[in-house]
Amino acid sequence: MKRYSIAVLLFCVSVSSIAAVPDGKIEKPFIVGNEVICLKEIQKQITPYLKSFEEESGVKYKYNVKSGLSYKDMIGLRLQINRVDSGLNDRVADLDYYWLQERGSMCQPAYMVLDRSQ
């Protein structure tokens, strides 16, 4: 299996988020009805991106919530993403995903940092 490496991906939605990567405060993730807020939306956005680097089909990922995050007017999740198909449980990425707390911006990334540099 060929490993791909991306040191750090900084996805910016606004120019103001380019300036610095915040060091968010660790929080408990926001949970409603036993579901972590925005986790499904993050999976829908990130999984196709990760799969684009794989040479095989049928690749599956598991998203492990490490903690919630907060920084100024943003909240987010710190995730560990593992590849879990074919009996694997290999870590492929660490993701910090932040979004604005405004109702209309829920789950839309203000920015995210994805590290696949294992």
Side-chain angles (χ1 to χ4, degrees):
M1 177 170 62
K2 189 174 182 181
R3 288 278 179 188
Y4 288 93
S5 204
I6 296 177
V8 175
L9 168 69
L10 181 60
F11 176 77
C12 300
V13 172
S14 68
V15 176
S16 64
S17 64
I18 294 173
V21 176
D23 188 15
K25 180 180 172 191
I26 302 298
E27 306 271 351
K28 287 188 174 184
F30 189 54
I31 298 173
V32 173
N34 291 330
E35 287 194 25
V36 177
I37 294 297
C38 295
L39 183 58
K40 287 182 181 178
E41 290 85 350
I42 294 168
Q43 290 171 324
K44 287 179 191 173
Q45 292 175 9
I46 301 301
T47 300
Y49 174 78
L50 294 174
K51 285 184 175 182
S52 71
F53 291 97
E54 302 294 347
E55 294 181 335
E56 309 166 39
S57 60
V59 176
K60 294 182 183 174
Y61 297 100
K62 180 178 181 184
Y63 289 71
N64 301 307
V65 177
K66 297 307 229 175
S67 69
L69 297 167
S70 67
Y71 181 77
K72 293 187 179 179
D73 61 344
M74 293 183 288
I75 55 176
L77 290 173
R78 177 163 285 162
L79 304 169
Q80 176 183 319
I81 306 169
N82 290 354
R83 181 176 170 177
V84 295
D85 57 285
S86 304
L88 298 173
N89 192 18
D90 294 338
R91 175 189 236 157
V92 295
D94 293 302
L95 175 67
D96 285 356
Y97 187 103
Y98 288 88
W99 61 89
L100 297 175
Q101 294 183 42
E102 298 167 4
R103 176 172 254 171
S105 300
M106 283 293 291
C107 305
Q108 297 302 313
Y111 74 86
M112 57 188 162
V113 179
L114 175 64
D115 183 2
R116 294 191 77 196
S117 62
Q118 268 209 97

